[in-house]
Amino acid sequence: MDTEGTLDEPRRRSAAFFDLDKTIIAKSSSMAFSRSFLEGGLLTRTKALRTAYAQFLFEVGGADERQTARLRDALSELIAGWEVAHVQAIVAETIHDHIDPIVYQEALELIRRHQINGRDVIIVSASASLVVEPIAELLGADAVIASRMEARDGVLTGEISFYAYGAAKAEAIVELANARGYDLDGSYAYSDSITDAPMLDAVGHGFAVNPDRSMRREAHRRGWGVLTFRRPVGLRRRDAGRPVAVTLLAIAAIGAVWAIAYAAYRREPDA
């Protein structure tokens, strides 16, 4: 291995980029809160069904440009008129009910192992930042790349200023890496979806998580690793059952959201 210059040049830090839905958690993060949004008066049953149908067509019809545009339009129509503070309050109040039980244990262990090895963990999701940021805090992530919704006078307009999807995820990762000095060749990325191929290509170590047939085929073609996550586990139940090395309690600006730091595992991840 060529080590020339390593004594004079500081080693650049790396990062681990995780897709959220069906990679860290076992279902869609946005859909996980649908009942609470319905009960909180943000959703009507008609809009909920319409958005669910768009999501269904997206998943079964292939993630092409037409289906992506349809899903984005449904999302835009759905959120228009929502009060930001109301959304934040609902997410803060119900995050443990909806997210705790569906987090993959394997993902938690992998996140913790990367952090022990000095890597920042970044959650990258097409879901709205209003939903993703509290989940990322719950998981102890270091940063978030998520879709950004425009608001005026504290009310969502329905405009989406940044849609964190497909190639846009990879572009945002490169932008963040340039800003923070990440070495992308030494960084990692994880996703279940073929639409995140650009994201996995942006780093030196890409992994397909619970891939379907097309994603598995692409992983083999591009030399990505393949991982299987099977065990959703309740965060609070998990923490109660084993020693915790560090526990951090923080109050998020939007309400009482607990930030949990996970036990340090003895087995080191591969470098």
Side-chain angles (χ1 to χ4, degrees):
M1 180 176 63
D2 183 8
T3 59
E4 183 179 355
T6 56
L7 294 179
D8 298 322
E9 298 175 5
R11 181 179 179 182
R12 295 175 65 196
R13 60 177 174 161
S14 57
F17 300 90
F18 285 80
D19 176 48
L20 179 60
D21 299 352
K22 301 181 182 179
T23 300
I24 294 178
I25 62 176
K27 63 189 292 187
S28 163
S29 52
S30 296
M31 296 303 290
F33 289 96
S34 58
R35 172 179 284 186
S36 292
F37 289 158
L38 183 64
E39 293 173 349
L42 293 175
L43 277 177
T44 64
R45 294 190 181 277
T46 299
K47 282 190 174 182
L49 288 172
R50 188 179 303 160
T51 305
Y53 182 60
Q55 178 77 28
F56 171 75
L57 291 178
F58 177 80
E59 292 183 356
V60 303
D64 59 20
E65 186 174 346
R66 179 183 175 187
Q67 298 294 357
T68 302
R70 177 179 291 185
L71 185 60
R72 177 172 178 164
D73 289 345
L75 176 62
S76 179
E77 179 185 357
L78 181 72
I79 65 173
W82 287 11
E83 292 184 2
V84 172
H86 193 186
V87 176
Q88 291 174 329
I90 290 174
V91 172
E93 290 168 4
T94 63
I95 190 169
H96 284 294
D97 294 334
H98 299 312
I99 301 302
D100 274 13
I102 60 173
V103 179
Y104 284 118
Q105 180 174 322
E106 296 92 341
L108 290 177
E109 293 173 352
L110 191 54
I111 287 170
R112 185 57 180 153
R113 286 163 56 194
H114 278 301
Q115 291 176 326
I116 290 171
N117 280 272
R119 299 186 187 97
D120 285 354
V121 169
I122 319 299
I123 306 299
V124 187
S125 175
S127 294
S129 59
L130 288 171
V131 171
V132 179
E133 288 175 359
I135 295 174
E137 185 172 7
L138 182 73
L139 296 169
D142 300 286
V144 162
I145 294 171
S147 295
R148 296 191 294 270
M149 312 303 175
E150 291 294 308
R152 186 178 297 115
D153 298 326
V155 176
L156 296 176
T157 65
E159 293 297 318
I160 303 174
S161 58
F162 173 68
Y163 192 38
Y165 175 83
K169 281 188 177 182
E171 292 165 5
I173 285 172
V174 172
E175 183 178 343
L176 184 65
N178 290 335
R180 294 194 169 193
Y182 294 143
D183 173 17
L184 286 181
D185 286 339
S187 294
Y188 295 70
Y190 303 86
S191 179
D192 70 296
S193 175
I194 192 64
T195 63
D196 285 338
M199 169 177 157
L200 270 60
D201 265 345
V203 301
H205 308 281
F207 289 85
V209 177
N210 295 344
D212 60 18
R213 183 176 300 176
S214 61
M215 182 60 163
R216 185 177 295 275
R217 184 165 54 244
E218 193 70 7
H220 288 316
R221 188 176 77 83
R222 302 196 188 203
W224 298 332
V226 175
L227 301 175
T228 301
F229 294 170
R230 292 192 177 96
R231 295 172 289 172
V233 59
L235 295 180
R236 288 173 292 185
R237 186 168 62 251
R238 176 179 180 270
D239 286 340
R242 65 180 66 200
V244 179
V246 181
T247 304
L248 298 176
L249 278 72
I251 299 179
I254 61 172
V257 180
W258 294 102
I260 301 174
Y262 301 103
Y265 290 89
R266 289 174 294 180
R267 185 163 66 93
E268 296 288 335
D270 295 333

